[in-house]
Amino acid sequence: KCLLGYTKPFVKCGKKGYVMPGAFRNHAEAIYNLKVRPDDIWVITFPRSGTTWTQEMVWLIENDLDFETAKEKPLYERFPMLELTAQIPELAFQLIKNNFMNLKNFQGLNQATKVSSWKTIEDAPSPRLIKTHLPLSMLPPNLLSTAKVIYVARDPRDVAVSYYYLHKMVGNSFVRTTFQNFWEAFRRDLLPWTPIIEHTNEAWKQRHNENLHFIFYEEMIKDLPKIIHDVSKFLNRDLAEKEVNILADHLSFDNLRKNKTVNNSTSDNGEVQFIRKGEAGGWRTHFDAKMEMEAEEFITSRLRGLDIKYPSIS
Ligand code: A3P
């Protein structure tokens, strides 16, 4: 259920009040009732948590390290995003109408408006690979008992910084705002897909479910080969050590940044790219002392009563 009249053009959806683009309310029910298939693999994240990185990893593991196709076909076609396919053309139209997005800068969406529709995912041949930023509570209730899910979480402070640059990149109304203002909106749960810690907690609570594999972005930064090994095992596609290393090299920050089928969006002036810095802890250079205290208070209060153990938060 989505409530209208929130911060235009957004609505608040579900029991936890997740912020969604307004057009989402037309599709929330269809998504909730989507037929999940046993061989589906879903990558679920809050935006800017390492989704793209994980998608490329999962696609290659599932496709026997077919680097040729991966270099030819854009990731957004190989691994579609549920919300975009569900909301096109409405979402795209709404975003342009509200001057929220400069489509030119967001090739994924630009392309998707031409080629996909909601049917893309409903009718896609098996096995389907599906990306979504929706929290578990807004997805089909039988998802975890039916398909495999990989959830990636990241330190909310780094997410906030990365999310700020994404908004700058796509050229929406936040483009001229300062990071301070953006952070204010982030911590007040005014931005799409917030609240972030609730989002992560839903998956964290399921981390022992055999169909859910929970990863932290910071762990990927620390030891990518280990994560590749664990994910390939989770997908029942154990890779040999040599293959793990080849894949880790393909997925390195420098290589992925150069990779045009994966890193395919930039800001108008080319300064901000979708794959931007790739650091854990980079938030420190964006938060002044006041914001740092606010962040601490945000994290402490939102984690109260929860047992999520972020590797970067003690
Ligand atoms: P930064 O903006 O902090 O650099 P998503 O795909 O969920 O939108 O996440 C994007 C974030 O993941 C960006 O963070 C991006 O740089 C980072 N990222 C993508 N590929 C990466 C890689 N190979 N190594 C490290 N970080 C990566």
Side-chain angles (χ1 to χ4, degrees), residues 65-267:
L65 303 189
D66 180 359
F67 292 108
E68 291 280 301
T69 309
K71 285 249 160 83
E72 278 161 19
K73 209 170 164 189
L75 185 61
Y76 56 77
E77 276 179 42
R78 290 183 275 131
F79 210 131
M81 176 175 174
L82 183 64
E83 295 89 314
L84 287 191
T85 60
Q87 291 168 25
I88 285 164
E90 284 154 275
L91 173 64
F93 176 71
Q94 191 174 29
L95 291 170
I96 298 162
K97 199 172 113 212
N98 289 290
N99 202 10
F100 242 63
M101 188 178 276
N102 179 352
L103 268 191
K104 199 167 85 240
N105 298 340
F106 200 8
Q107 287 180 24
L109 181 57
N110 199 9
Q111 251 338 86
T113 51
K114 290 186 199 122
V115 300
S116 13
S117 76
W118 170 225
K119 293 276 166 204
T120 319
I121 283 182
E122 246 181 354
D123 298 343
S126 290
R128 297 181 302 187
L129 301 180
I130 299 172
K131 156 189 169 178
T132 181
H133 293 316
L134 291 173
L136 283 171
S137 58
M138 292 174 68
L139 294 172
N142 66 343
L143 177 61
L144 281 181
S145 56
T146 311
K148 286 202 188 305
V149 172
I150 295 168
Y151 187 93
V152 191
R154 187 179 187 187
D155 186 312
R157 295 164 294 192
D158 280 330
V159 169
V161 173
S162 184
Y163 209 14
Y164 173 64
Y165 285 102
L166 176 81
H167 282 82
K168 271 189 170 315
M169 189 195 84
V170 298
N172 68 21
S173 61
F174 289 106
V175 77
R176 282 172 297 274
T177 205
T178 59
F179 178 65
Q180 265 104 331
N181 287 339
F182 188 86
W183 160 247
E184 197 58 24
F186 185 87
R187 75 188 182 102
R188 286 170 187 258
D189 303 332
L190 295 175
L191 298 173
W193 290 283
T194 57
I196 181 171
I197 291 183
E198 269 304 328
H199 193 295
T200 295
N201 187 46
E202 288 196 30
W204 177 259
K205 284 195 294 194
Q206 297 292 338
R207 70 194 179 285
H208 300 306
N209 186 313
E210 59 176 11
N211 276 341
L212 186 131
H213 188 71
F214 192 103
I215 306 173
F216 280 108
Y217 174 90
E218 293 75 15
E219 294 169 342
M220 291 173 73
I221 292 274
K222 197 168 150 204
D223 193 348
L224 184 58
K226 179 184 179 298
I227 299 293
I228 295 175
H229 174 79
D230 294 349
V231 170
S232 60
K233 222 168 152 193
F234 172 67
L235 298 176
N236 300 321
R237 287 184 179 267
D238 250 337
L239 294 181
E241 200 185 323
K242 193 172 160 214
E243 294 172 315
V244 169
N245 291 334
I246 293 171
L247 182 51
D249 183 56
H250 174 88
L251 294 171
S252 73
F253 180 78
D254 290 342
N255 284 340
L256 224 50
R257 199 159 200 262
K258 282 187 271 182
N259 185 330
K260 288 296 160 223
T261 57
V262 177
N263 187 25
N264 50 31
S265 307
T266 60
S267 59

Side-chain angles (χ1 to χ4, degrees), residues 3-12 19-22 94 100 174 185 188-192:
L3 293 177
L4 269 175
Y6 193 58
T7 321
K8 227 179 143 196
F10 299 123
V11 288
K12 276 206 158 203
V19 179
M20 294 290 147
Q94 191 174 29
F100 242 63
F174 289 106
R188 286 170 187 258
D189 303 332
L190 295 175
L191 298 173

Side-chain angles (χ1 to χ4, degrees), residues 47-53 154 162 217 221 251-253 256 274-278:
R48 308 309 285 168
S49 302
T51 331
T52 315
W53 198 7
R154 187 179 187 187
S162 184
Y217 174 90
I221 292 274
L251 294 171
S252 73
F253 180 78
L256 224 50
F274 194 90
I275 296 186
R276 190 186 61 92
K277 268 258 155 132

